[in-house]
Amino acid sequence: MIARTRRGADDVARNGPGYVPVHPNCPFCAVLHSNDGVLGDAREIHIEYCGDWSS
């Protein structure tokens, strides 16, 4: 599962730090949907970049 969902995590790690949100509470994220063919019976996985975990 980790190998098949890695593209979402790679995208967030690569593009998240330089992302400038259009809206204040809109962080950079990637969503893997059930119809992507990698999640089996799962609905979706949401991967979000957070530059400051204390907030």
Side-chain angles (χ1 to χ4, degrees):
M1 176 63 93
I2 292 172
R4 292 184 293 166
T5 58
R6 182 176 172 179
R7 67 176 170 83
D10 285 350
D11 183 41
V12 170
R14 187 178 317 109
N15 299 308
Y19 176 71
V20 177
V22 177
H23 300 288
N25 294 321
C26 226
F28 188 86
C29 65
V31 179
L32 303 174
H33 297 280
S34 59
N35 59 357
D36 289 342
V38 296
L39 300 179
D41 292 334
R43 290 185 4 183
E44 71 179 27
I45 294 176
H46 185 184
I47 306 166
E48 183 176 300
Y49 176 80
C50 180
D52 183 7
W53 287 100
S54 64
S55 58

